[in-house]
Protein backbone atom coordinates (compact mmCIF):
# COMPACT_ATOMS: atom_id res chain seq x y z
CA UNK A 1 0.00 0.00 0.00
CA UNK A 2 1.50 3.30 -1.10
CA UNK A 3 0.35 5.23 1.96
CA UNK A 4 2.36 2.88 4.20
CA UNK A 5 5.52 3.60 2.21
CA UNK A 6 4.90 7.34 2.04
CA UNK A 7 2.57 8.04 4.99
CA UNK A 8 2.85 11.82 4.65
CA UNK A 9 0.60 11.55 1.58
CA UNK A 10 -2.31 10.88 3.91
CA UNK A 11 -2.21 14.40 5.36
CA UNK A 12 -3.20 16.33 2.19
CA UNK A 13 -5.93 13.74 1.58
CA UNK A 14 -7.25 14.29 5.10
CA UNK A 15 -7.11 18.09 4.78
CA UNK A 16 -9.15 18.00 1.58
CA UNK A 17 -11.63 15.60 3.18
CA UNK A 18 -11.90 17.76 6.32
CA UNK A 19 -12.55 20.86 4.23
CA UNK A 20 -15.19 19.17 2.06
CA UNK A 21 -17.03 17.90 5.13
CA UNK A 22 -17.09 21.37 6.70
CA UNK A 23 -18.44 22.94 3.53
CA UNK A 24 -21.03 20.17 3.17
CA UNK A 25 -22.12 20.69 6.78
CA UNK A 26 -22.61 24.40 6.10
CA UNK A 27 -24.87 23.54 3.18
CA UNK A 28 -27.37 22.16 5.69
CA UNK A 29 -30.02 24.86 6.21
CA UNK A 30 -29.75 26.72 9.50
CA UNK A 31 -33.52 26.67 9.91
CA UNK A 32 -33.27 22.93 10.70
CA UNK A 33 -31.17 23.55 13.81
CA UNK A 34 -32.14 27.05 15.00
CA UNK A 35 -34.69 25.82 17.55
CA UNK A 36 -32.40 23.12 18.97
CA UNK A 37 -29.49 25.55 19.22
CA UNK A 38 -31.54 28.27 20.93
CA UNK A 39 -33.01 25.78 23.39
CA UNK A 40 -29.63 24.15 24.07
CA UNK A 41 -27.87 27.46 24.69
CA UNK A 42 -30.63 28.55 27.04
CA UNK A 43 -30.49 25.23 28.91
CA UNK A 44 -26.72 25.54 29.31
CA UNK A 45 -27.09 29.12 30.55
CA UNK A 46 -29.71 28.06 33.08
CA UNK A 47 -27.35 25.41 34.47
CA UNK A 48 -24.49 27.89 34.66
CA UNK A 49 -21.24 28.14 32.74
CA UNK A 50 -19.36 25.67 34.93
CA UNK A 51 -21.70 23.73 37.24
CA UNK A 52 -20.40 20.86 39.39
CA UNK A 53 -22.77 17.93 38.94
CA UNK A 54 -21.45 15.93 41.93
CA UNK A 55 -20.60 18.86 44.22
CA UNK A 56 -16.87 18.36 43.70
CA UNK A 57 -14.56 20.74 41.82
CA UNK A 58 -13.40 17.87 39.59
CA UNK A 59 -16.94 17.24 38.31
CA UNK A 60 -17.30 20.64 36.67
CA UNK A 61 -18.93 20.85 33.26
CA UNK A 62 -17.90 23.34 30.60
CA UNK A 63 -21.31 24.59 29.52
CA UNK A 64 -19.78 27.84 28.34
CA UNK A 65 -17.80 26.09 25.60
CA UNK A 66 -20.80 23.89 24.81
CA UNK A 67 -22.68 27.10 23.97
CA UNK A 68 -19.89 28.09 21.60
CA UNK A 69 -20.00 24.67 19.93
CA UNK A 70 -23.75 24.91 19.36
CA UNK A 71 -23.37 28.47 18.12
CA UNK A 72 -20.82 27.22 15.57
CA UNK A 73 -23.41 24.82 14.12
CA UNK A 74 -25.17 27.64 12.27
CA UNK A 75 -23.89 29.91 9.55
CA UNK A 76 -25.54 33.08 10.82
CA UNK A 77 -27.31 34.37 13.88
CA UNK A 78 -27.92 37.57 15.76
CA UNK A 79 -24.90 39.11 17.44
CA UNK A 80 -25.05 37.95 21.06
CA UNK A 81 -23.04 37.37 24.22
CA UNK A 82 -21.43 34.26 22.69
CA UNK A 83 -20.49 35.74 19.31
CA UNK A 84 -19.07 38.80 21.07
CA UNK A 85 -16.22 36.50 22.14
CA UNK A 86 -15.21 36.06 18.48
CA UNK A 87 -15.90 39.43 16.88
CA UNK A 88 -17.03 42.98 17.53
CA UNK A 89 -20.53 44.07 16.57
CA UNK A 90 -19.13 45.93 13.56
CA UNK A 91 -17.18 42.86 12.35
CA UNK A 92 -20.21 40.64 12.89
CA UNK A 93 -22.30 42.26 10.15
CA UNK A 94 -19.56 41.61 7.59
CA UNK A 95 -19.07 38.02 8.76
CA UNK A 96 -22.79 37.31 8.63
CA UNK A 97 -23.33 38.79 5.18
CA UNK A 98 -20.34 36.90 3.72
CA UNK A 99 -21.40 33.58 5.24
CA UNK A 100 -25.11 33.87 4.49
CA UNK A 101 -24.98 32.58 0.90
CA UNK A 102 -21.43 31.21 0.88
CA UNK A 103 -20.90 27.85 2.66
CA UNK A 104 -17.19 27.93 1.79
CA UNK A 105 -16.77 31.25 3.55
CA UNK A 106 -18.84 30.02 6.49
CA UNK A 107 -16.75 26.83 6.77
CA UNK A 108 -13.51 28.80 7.21
CA UNK A 109 -14.68 31.98 8.92
CA UNK A 110 -16.38 30.08 11.76
CA UNK A 111 -18.16 33.25 12.84
CA UNK A 112 -14.81 34.88 13.59
CA UNK A 113 -13.36 31.90 15.50
CA UNK A 114 -11.17 30.83 12.59
CA UNK A 115 -8.13 29.32 14.28
CA UNK A 116 -9.95 26.05 15.03
CA UNK A 117 -11.33 23.60 12.49
CA UNK A 118 -14.54 23.07 14.48
CA UNK A 119 -14.76 19.62 12.92
CA UNK A 120 -17.15 18.53 15.64
CA UNK A 121 -19.87 20.43 13.75
CA UNK A 122 -19.78 17.70 11.09
CA UNK A 123 -21.39 15.39 13.68
CA UNK A 124 -23.09 17.86 16.00
CA UNK A 125 -25.13 19.79 13.43
CA UNK A 126 -26.87 16.68 12.02
CA UNK A 127 -27.57 15.56 15.59
CA UNK A 128 -29.12 18.94 16.38
CA UNK A 129 -31.51 18.48 13.46
CA UNK A 130 -32.98 15.43 15.19
CA UNK A 131 -32.24 15.87 18.91
CA UNK A 132 -32.13 18.64 21.48
CA UNK A 133 -29.24 19.31 23.87
CA UNK A 134 -30.56 16.99 26.61
CA UNK A 135 -31.20 14.15 24.17
CA UNK A 136 -27.68 14.48 22.74
CA UNK A 137 -26.26 14.19 26.25
CA UNK A 138 -28.27 11.00 26.77
CA UNK A 139 -27.08 9.66 23.44
CA UNK A 140 -23.48 10.47 24.39
CA UNK A 141 -23.88 8.60 27.67
CA UNK A 142 -24.93 5.51 25.72
CA UNK A 143 -22.12 5.88 23.18
CA UNK A 144 -19.46 6.50 25.82
CA UNK A 145 -20.58 3.48 27.85
CA UNK A 146 -20.44 1.22 24.79
CA UNK A 147 -16.99 2.46 23.77
CA UNK A 148 -15.62 2.09 27.30
CA UNK A 149 -16.92 -1.48 27.61
CA UNK A 150 -15.49 -2.43 24.20
CA UNK A 151 -12.13 -0.87 25.04
CA UNK A 152 -11.98 -2.65 28.41
CA UNK A 153 -12.79 -5.99 26.79
CA UNK A 154 -10.21 -5.50 24.02
CA UNK A 155 -7.41 -4.76 26.50
CA UNK A 156 -8.51 -7.67 28.70
CA UNK A 157 -8.31 -10.04 25.73
CA UNK A 158 -4.97 -8.77 24.51
CA UNK A 159 -3.10 -7.90 27.70
CA UNK A 160 -5.09 -9.39 30.57
CA UNK A 161 -7.35 -8.20 33.33
CA UNK A 162 -4.68 -6.16 35.14
CA UNK A 163 -3.94 -4.03 32.08
CA UNK A 164 -7.68 -3.61 31.46
CA UNK A 165 -8.19 -2.44 35.04
CA UNK A 166 -5.32 0.03 34.63
CA UNK A 167 -7.15 1.52 31.65
CA UNK A 168 -10.44 1.64 33.53
CA UNK A 169 -8.89 3.32 36.57
CA UNK A 170 -7.26 6.00 34.40
CA UNK A 171 -10.59 6.79 32.71
CA UNK A 172 -12.48 6.78 36.01
CA UNK A 173 -10.09 9.22 37.72
CA UNK A 174 -10.53 11.57 34.74
CA UNK A 175 -14.17 11.81 35.91
CA UNK A 176 -15.58 9.78 33.04
CA UNK A 177 -19.14 10.43 34.24
CA UNK A 178 -18.93 14.13 33.27
CA UNK A 179 -17.54 13.44 29.79
CA UNK A 180 -20.89 12.77 28.05
CA UNK A 181 -22.45 15.72 29.88
CA UNK A 182 -20.16 18.21 28.08
CA UNK A 183 -19.95 18.32 24.31
CA UNK A 184 -16.46 19.78 24.56
CA UNK A 185 -15.04 16.84 26.56
CA UNK A 186 -16.48 14.09 24.37
CA UNK A 187 -14.50 14.12 21.06
CA UNK A 188 -11.07 13.46 22.59
CA UNK A 189 -12.33 10.61 24.76
CA UNK A 190 -14.19 9.02 21.84
CA UNK A 191 -11.11 9.17 19.61
CA UNK A 192 -8.99 7.72 22.42
CA UNK A 193 -11.34 4.82 23.13
CA UNK A 194 -11.74 4.02 19.43
CA UNK A 195 -7.94 3.83 19.12
CA UNK A 196 -7.84 1.43 22.06
CA UNK A 197 -10.61 -0.69 20.52
CA UNK A 198 -8.63 -0.82 17.28
CA UNK A 199 -5.28 -1.36 19.01
CA UNK A 200 -4.60 -4.47 16.89
CA UNK A 201 -4.08 -2.21 13.88
CA UNK A 202 -1.15 -0.61 15.71
CA UNK A 203 0.53 -3.99 16.20
CA UNK A 204 2.72 -3.77 13.13
CA UNK A 205 5.35 -1.05 13.38
CA UNK A 206 5.02 -0.23 9.69
CA UNK A 207 1.41 0.78 10.39
CA UNK A 208 2.15 3.02 13.33
CA UNK A 209 3.51 6.14 11.65
CA UNK A 210 0.52 6.24 9.29
CA UNK A 211 -2.01 5.57 12.05
CA UNK A 212 -0.60 8.10 14.50
CA UNK A 213 -0.46 10.71 11.73
CA UNK A 214 -4.17 10.11 11.14
CA UNK A 215 -5.02 10.14 14.86
CA UNK A 216 -3.13 13.42 15.39
CA UNK A 217 -4.88 15.06 12.43
CA UNK A 218 -8.35 13.84 13.45
CA UNK A 219 -7.76 14.99 17.04
CA UNK A 220 -6.95 18.51 15.91
CA UNK A 221 -9.99 18.51 13.62
CA UNK A 222 -12.58 17.64 16.28
CA UNK A 223 -11.01 18.94 19.50
CA UNK A 224 -11.27 22.35 21.14
CA UNK A 225 -7.78 22.18 22.72
CA UNK A 226 -8.97 20.23 25.76
CA UNK A 227 -6.83 17.14 26.50
CA UNK A 228 -5.57 16.04 23.06
CA UNK A 229 -2.58 14.23 24.61
CA UNK A 230 -4.96 11.42 25.62
CA UNK A 231 -5.32 10.39 21.97
CA UNK A 232 -1.55 9.98 21.73
CA UNK A 233 -0.45 8.66 25.08
CA UNK A 234 -3.13 6.09 25.94
CA UNK A 235 -2.89 4.20 22.60
CA UNK A 236 0.90 4.60 22.66
CA UNK A 237 1.07 3.02 26.13
CA UNK A 238 -0.57 -0.12 24.76
CA UNK A 239 1.68 -0.05 21.70
CA UNK A 240 4.58 -0.28 24.17
CA UNK A 241 2.77 -3.22 25.77
CA UNK A 242 2.58 -4.96 22.39
CA UNK A 243 6.32 -4.55 21.92
CA UNK A 244 7.04 -5.68 25.49
CA UNK A 245 5.37 -9.08 24.96
CA UNK A 246 7.21 -9.62 21.69
CA UNK A 247 10.41 -11.50 22.52
CA UNK A 248 11.97 -10.57 19.18
CA UNK A 249 11.65 -6.85 19.87
CA UNK A 250 14.66 -5.29 21.58
CA UNK A 251 14.40 -2.53 24.16
CA UNK A 252 16.10 -0.16 21.73
CA UNK A 253 13.58 -0.97 19.00
CA UNK A 254 10.71 -0.39 21.47
CA UNK A 255 12.11 3.02 22.32
CA UNK A 256 12.64 4.02 18.68
CA UNK A 257 9.12 2.90 17.79
CA UNK A 258 7.70 5.02 20.61
CA UNK A 259 9.60 8.12 19.44
CA UNK A 260 8.56 7.64 15.80
CA UNK A 261 4.92 7.18 16.79
CA UNK A 262 4.94 10.26 19.00
CA UNK A 263 6.55 12.42 16.31
CA UNK A 264 4.03 11.15 13.75
CA UNK A 265 1.13 12.18 16.01
CA UNK A 266 2.72 15.57 16.65
CA UNK A 267 3.25 16.14 12.93
CA UNK A 268 -0.35 15.19 12.13
CA UNK A 269 -1.71 17.40 14.92
CA UNK A 270 0.46 20.48 14.32
CA UNK A 271 0.36 20.45 10.51
CA UNK A 272 -3.42 20.05 10.48
CA UNK A 273 -3.75 23.09 12.69
CA UNK A 274 -1.29 25.08 10.57
CA UNK A 275 -3.11 24.25 7.34
CA UNK A 276 -6.38 25.52 8.84
CA UNK A 277 -4.79 28.88 9.50
CA UNK A 278 -3.44 28.99 5.95
CA UNK A 279 -6.71 27.94 4.31
CA UNK A 280 -8.74 30.40 6.41
CA UNK A 281 -6.32 33.20 5.51
CA UNK A 282 -6.65 32.37 1.79
CA UNK A 283 -10.44 32.05 1.80
CA UNK A 284 -11.13 35.07 3.99
CA UNK A 285 -8.29 37.31 2.74
CA UNK A 286 -7.43 37.91 6.37
CA UNK A 287 -4.29 37.17 8.37
CA UNK A 288 -5.52 34.30 10.55
CA UNK A 289 -1.92 33.09 10.98
CA UNK A 290 -0.99 36.24 12.90
CA UNK A 291 -4.02 35.79 15.18
CA UNK A 292 -3.06 32.15 15.79
CA UNK A 293 0.55 33.03 16.61
CA UNK A 294 -0.62 35.70 19.03
CA UNK A 295 -2.75 33.13 20.84
CA UNK A 296 0.12 30.63 20.89
CA UNK A 297 2.22 33.24 22.68
CA UNK A 298 -0.60 33.79 25.19
CA UNK A 299 -1.26 30.09 25.84
CA UNK A 300 2.43 29.27 26.17
CA UNK A 301 3.19 32.39 28.25
CA UNK A 302 5.86 33.46 25.77
CA UNK A 303 6.97 36.71 24.24
CA UNK A 304 5.97 38.82 27.24
CA UNK A 305 2.33 38.96 26.09
CA UNK A 306 0.87 37.89 29.43
CA UNK A 307 3.25 40.09 31.41
CA UNK A 308 2.05 43.09 29.43
CA UNK A 309 -1.47 42.33 30.66
CA UNK A 310 -0.33 41.98 34.24
CA UNK A 311 -0.54 38.16 34.29
CA UNK A 312 2.21 35.80 35.38
CA UNK A 313 2.40 32.00 35.40
CA UNK A 314 4.97 29.81 37.12
CA UNK A 315 5.42 26.51 35.31
CA UNK A 316 6.32 24.56 38.41
CA UNK A 317 3.29 25.85 40.26
CA UNK A 318 0.95 25.04 37.36
CA UNK A 319 2.28 21.48 37.07
CA UNK A 320 1.93 20.94 40.81
CA UNK A 321 -1.56 22.46 40.85
CA UNK A 322 -2.87 20.15 38.11
CA UNK A 323 -1.50 17.01 39.76
CA UNK A 324 -2.73 18.17 43.16
CA UNK A 325 -6.17 18.92 41.72
CA UNK A 326 -6.39 15.37 40.34
CA UNK A 327 -5.27 13.74 43.58
CA UNK A 328 -7.54 15.90 45.72
CA UNK A 329 -10.34 13.56 44.63
CA UNK A 330 -8.22 10.42 45.12
CA UNK A 331 -6.41 10.35 48.46
CA UNK A 332 -2.75 9.55 47.89
CA UNK A 333 -2.96 6.82 50.54
CA UNK A 334 -5.71 5.10 48.56
CA UNK A 335 -3.73 5.33 45.31
CA UNK A 336 -0.62 4.02 47.10
CA UNK A 337 -2.67 1.13 48.53
CA UNK A 338 -3.95 0.21 45.06
CA UNK A 339 -0.45 0.41 43.61
CA UNK A 340 1.16 -1.65 46.38
CA UNK A 341 -1.59 -4.28 46.16
CA UNK A 342 -1.11 -4.53 42.41
CA UNK A 343 2.66 -4.91 42.81
CA UNK A 344 2.25 -7.65 45.43
CA UNK A 345 -0.16 -9.68 43.27
CA UNK A 346 1.96 -9.29 40.14
CA UNK A 347 5.18 -10.13 42.02
CA UNK A 348 3.58 -13.28 43.45
CA UNK A 349 2.53 -14.44 39.98
CA UNK A 350 5.94 -13.53 38.58
CA UNK A 351 7.82 -15.65 41.15
CA UNK A 352 5.30 -18.48 41.08
CA UNK A 353 5.74 -19.02 37.34
CA UNK A 354 9.54 -18.95 37.35
CA UNK A 355 10.45 -15.31 37.04
CA UNK A 356 13.99 -14.29 37.96
CA UNK A 357 16.17 -11.19 38.21
CA UNK A 358 17.36 -11.48 34.59
CA UNK A 359 13.79 -11.53 33.27
CA UNK A 360 12.88 -8.65 35.59
CA UNK A 361 15.73 -6.60 34.10
CA UNK A 362 14.65 -7.38 30.53
CA UNK A 363 11.06 -6.49 31.37
CA UNK A 364 12.21 -3.22 32.93
CA UNK A 365 14.07 -2.21 29.77
CA UNK A 366 11.05 -2.88 27.58
CA UNK A 367 8.55 -1.24 29.93
CA UNK A 368 10.71 1.84 30.57
CA UNK A 369 9.24 3.83 27.63
CA UNK A 370 6.07 4.02 29.73
CA UNK A 371 7.96 6.15 32.24
CA UNK A 372 8.65 8.64 29.46
CA UNK A 373 5.05 8.61 28.22
CA UNK A 374 3.89 9.14 31.80
CA UNK A 375 5.77 12.45 31.86
CA UNK A 376 3.81 13.79 28.87
CA UNK A 377 1.42 15.85 31.07
CA UNK A 378 4.41 17.67 32.56
CA UNK A 379 5.57 18.61 29.05
CA UNK A 380 2.05 19.74 28.11
CA UNK A 381 1.64 21.87 31.25
CA UNK A 382 5.06 23.44 30.70
CA UNK A 383 4.42 24.19 27.02
CA UNK A 384 0.88 25.57 27.52
CA UNK A 385 1.22 27.01 31.00
CA UNK A 386 -1.43 29.73 30.57
CA UNK A 387 -3.96 27.31 29.09
CA UNK A 388 -3.21 24.67 31.74
CA UNK A 389 -3.77 27.18 34.51
CA UNK A 390 -7.00 28.87 33.46
CA UNK A 391 -8.61 25.59 32.30
CA UNK A 392 -7.28 23.39 35.08
CA UNK A 393 -10.58 22.82 36.87
CA UNK A 394 -12.50 22.01 33.69
CA UNK A 395 -10.28 19.60 31.80
CA UNK A 396 -6.53 20.34 31.92
CA UNK A 397 -6.08 18.20 35.06
CA UNK A 398 -7.44 15.17 33.16
CA UNK A 399 -4.03 14.83 31.48
CA UNK A 400 -2.79 13.37 34.77
CA UNK A 401 -4.74 10.22 33.86
CA UNK A 402 -1.86 9.51 31.45
CA UNK A 403 0.63 9.37 34.33
CA UNK A 404 -1.68 7.10 36.32
CA UNK A 405 -2.20 4.68 33.42
CA UNK A 406 1.52 4.52 32.63
CA UNK A 407 2.43 3.93 36.29
CA UNK A 408 0.00 1.02 36.62
CA UNK A 409 0.80 -0.47 33.22
CA UNK A 410 4.54 -0.20 33.91
CA UNK A 411 4.24 -2.62 36.83
CA UNK A 412 2.00 -4.94 34.83
CA UNK A 413 4.73 -5.21 32.17
CA UNK A 414 7.56 -5.28 34.71
CA UNK A 415 6.24 -8.49 36.25
CA UNK A 416 5.38 -10.35 33.05
CA UNK A 417 5.63 -14.10 33.59
CA UNK A 418 7.98 -16.11 31.34
CA UNK A 419 5.03 -17.70 29.50
CA UNK A 420 3.46 -14.29 28.87
CA UNK A 421 6.01 -13.70 26.14
CA UNK A 422 6.24 -15.05 22.63
CA UNK A 423 9.41 -17.10 22.21
CA UNK A 424 12.09 -15.99 19.82
CA UNK A 425 11.58 -19.10 17.71
CA UNK A 426 7.86 -18.38 17.39
CA UNK A 427 8.58 -14.77 16.49
CA UNK A 428 10.93 -15.85 13.71
CA UNK A 429 8.20 -17.99 12.20
CA UNK A 430 5.87 -14.98 11.97
CA UNK A 431 5.52 -12.48 9.16
CA UNK A 432 7.45 -9.56 10.58
CA UNK A 433 9.66 -8.47 13.44
CA UNK A 434 9.99 -5.39 15.56
CA UNK A 435 12.03 -3.51 13.02
CA UNK A 436 9.58 -3.85 10.18
CA UNK A 437 6.37 -4.81 11.92
CA UNK A 438 5.27 -6.78 14.96
CA UNK A 439 4.18 -10.15 13.66
CA UNK A 440 0.64 -11.43 13.45
CA UNK A 441 0.21 -13.87 16.33
CA UNK A 442 -3.30 -13.48 17.64
CA UNK A 443 -3.60 -17.22 18.25
CA UNK A 444 -0.25 -17.41 20.02
CA UNK A 445 -0.63 -14.57 22.52
CA UNK A 446 -1.22 -15.62 26.08
CA UNK A 447 -3.82 -14.12 28.38
CA UNK A 448 -1.92 -12.46 31.21
CA UNK A 449 -4.70 -13.30 33.60
CA UNK A 450 -3.71 -16.98 33.79
Amino acid sequence: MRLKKTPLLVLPILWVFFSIMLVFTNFLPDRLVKASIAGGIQEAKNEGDHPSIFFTPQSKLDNFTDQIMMQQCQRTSNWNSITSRFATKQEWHSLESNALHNPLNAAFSNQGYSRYWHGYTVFLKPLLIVFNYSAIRTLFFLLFGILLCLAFDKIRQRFGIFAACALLISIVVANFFVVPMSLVFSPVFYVTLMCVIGIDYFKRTDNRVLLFLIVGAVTNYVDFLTVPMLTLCIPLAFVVAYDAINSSCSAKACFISMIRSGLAWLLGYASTWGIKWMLSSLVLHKNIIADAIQNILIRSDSGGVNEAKGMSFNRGDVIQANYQFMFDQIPLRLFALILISLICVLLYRFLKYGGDVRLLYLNFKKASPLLIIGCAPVVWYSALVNHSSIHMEFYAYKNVAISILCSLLFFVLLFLKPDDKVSLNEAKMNIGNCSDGVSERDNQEKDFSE
Side-chain angles (χ1 to χ4, degrees):
M1 184 178 179
R2 189 176 180 184
L3 285 178
K4 284 187 179 181
K5 296 179 181 178
T6 53
L8 292 181
L9 287 176
V10 76
L11 289 176
I13 295 172
L14 284 173
W15 298 335
V16 171
F17 176 73
F18 291 165
S19 301
I20 291 173
M21 292 304 297
L22 278 182
V23 173
F24 174 77
T25 302
N26 278 278
F27 266 110
L28 297 175
D30 281 0
R31 58 183 172 79
L32 300 177
V33 296
K34 286 286 186 182
S36 294
I37 290 174
I41 289 176
Q42 187 59 51
E43 182 179 346
K45 285 182 176 179
N46 292 341
E47 292 178 359
D49 285 346
H50 303 290
S52 297
I53 60 174
F54 286 106
F55 309 105
T56 62
Q58 295 81 8
S59 66
K60 281 187 177 180
L61 304 181
D62 192 0
N63 287 352
F64 175 75
T65 309
D66 278 8
Q67 296 173 50
I68 295 175
M69 294 173 72
M70 287 185 280
Q71 174 70 35
Q72 288 291 333
C73 288
Q74 52 190 340
R75 269 189 281 171
T76 62
S77 75
N78 296 326
W79 190 74
N80 53 55
S81 60
I82 300 173
T83 57
S84 65
R85 300 275 179 166
F86 323 142
T88 64
K89 194 169 185 178
Q90 292 72 27
E91 293 171 330
W92 183 252
H93 294 300
S94 174
L95 288 167
E96 187 176 32
S97 61
N98 290 333
L100 183 59
H101 301 294
N102 190 338
L104 176 63
N105 183 285
F108 287 96
S109 67
N110 310 111
Q111 303 181 29
Y113 212 163
S114 306
R115 15 179 230 281
Y116 292 96
W117 276 94
H118 302 282
Y120 54 82
T121 59
V122 172
F123 309 98
L124 184 56
K125 188 170 185 177
L127 286 174
L128 286 167
I129 295 175
V130 182
F131 303 105
N132 59 26
Y133 185 42
S134 295
I136 290 174
R137 282 174 160 178
T138 303
L139 185 66
F140 278 13
F141 261 109
L142 179 62
L143 177 60
F144 186 77
I146 291 172
L147 290 176
L148 184 57
C149 290
L150 290 175
F152 179 87
D153 187 58
K154 172 61 72 173
I155 298 304
R156 183 192 62 80
Q157 291 178 25
R158 285 291 172 263
F159 306 107
I161 190 63
F162 292 108
C165 287
L167 171 67
L168 184 61
I169 290 171
S170 66
I171 299 295
V172 168
V173 297
N175 281 282
F176 72 101
F177 44 82
V178 305
V179 171
M181 292 289 289
S182 276
L183 303 178
V184 68
F185 298 159
S186 300
V188 159
F189 279 86
Y190 293 162
V191 172
T192 300
L193 291 175
M194 285 189 283
C195 287
V196 173
I197 294 167
I199 197 67
D200 286 347
Y201 293 104
F202 293 81
K203 189 187 304 186
R204 295 186 63 89
T205 55
D206 55 354
N207 287 349
R208 291 176 188 172
V209 169
L210 175 62
L211 291 173
F212 275 108
L213 273 172
I214 294 172
V215 173
V218 170
T219 301
N220 185 269
Y221 186 63
V222 300
D223 184 39
F224 224 136
L225 195 61
T226 55
V227 280
M229 291 293 289
L230 294 183
T231 68
L232 166 65
C233 296
I234 290 182
L236 190 56
F238 291 107
V239 165
V240 170
Y242 259 126
D243 289 346
I245 64 174
N246 180 13
S247 297
S248 67
C249 185
S250 67
K252 180 180 178 181
C254 293
F255 179 79
I256 292 173
S257 175
M258 179 197 70
I259 296 298
R260 291 178 63 200
S261 299
L263 290 175
W265 183 94
L266 180 61
L267 178 60
Y269 185 85
S271 63
T272 299
W273 213 341
I275 203 69
K276 175 57 166 67
W277 305 337
M278 293 173 61
L279 290 174
S280 292
S281 297
L282 289 172
V283 171
L284 305 175
H285 305 291
K286 184 179 178 181
N287 194 349
I288 304 301
I289 297 175
D291 176 63
I293 292 175
Q294 177 71 8
N295 277 275
I296 289 174
L297 295 176
I298 292 173
R299 297 306 186 194
S300 62
D301 194 32
S302 304
V305 178
N306 289 322
E307 286 83 351
K309 297 180 179 180
M311 295 186 293
S312 179
F313 300 91
N314 181 282
R315 283 172 167 76
D317 291 343
V318 171
I319 293 168
Q320 181 181 356
N322 275 273
Y323 274 85
Q324 183 65 47
F325 192 74
M326 169 66 89
F327 286 107
D328 278 347
Q329 62 175 340
I330 314 168
L332 282 174
R333 292 180 181 179
L334 176 60
F335 181 72
L337 178 63
I338 293 172
L339 189 60
I340 292 170
S341 300
L342 175 67
I343 293 172
C344 291
V345 172
L346 292 172
L347 180 60
Y348 170 76
R349 292 170 66 251
F350 179 76
L351 296 174
K352 180 181 177 181
Y353 288 94
D356 55 23
V357 174
R358 178 179 174 276
L359 180 59
L360 193 67
Y361 174 68
L362 294 175
N363 288 346
F364 174 82
K365 289 201 299 183
K366 287 195 173 184
S368 57
L370 287 171
L371 301 178
I372 299 174
I373 299 172
C375 293
V378 175
V379 177
W380 178 265
Y381 296 144
S382 298
L384 295 176
V385 60
N386 167 288
H387 180 271
S388 301
S389 177
I390 63 178
H391 296 298
M392 179 187 72
E393 294 185 357
F394 314 138
Y395 45 75
Y397 79 94
K398 296 181 189 293
N399 282 306
V400 179
I402 296 169
S403 299
I404 293 174
L405 171 66
C406 290
S407 299
L408 297 173
L409 194 56
F410 171 78
F411 288 105
V412 172
L413 297 181
L414 181 65
F415 295 112
L416 286 177
K417 310 191 309 289
D419 59 341
D420 285 333
K421 291 176 172 286
V422 177
S423 70
L424 183 59
N425 290 333
E426 287 173 324
K428 287 179 178 178
M429 293 171 60
N430 288 318
I431 297 172
N433 55 51
C434 196
S435 61
D436 63 2
V438 178
S439 51
E440 298 290 341
R441 46 181 165 77
D442 288 345
N443 296 328
Q444 297 170 332
E445 288 175 347
K446 303 272 186 185
D447 187 340
F448 291 5
S449 59
E450 290 179 355

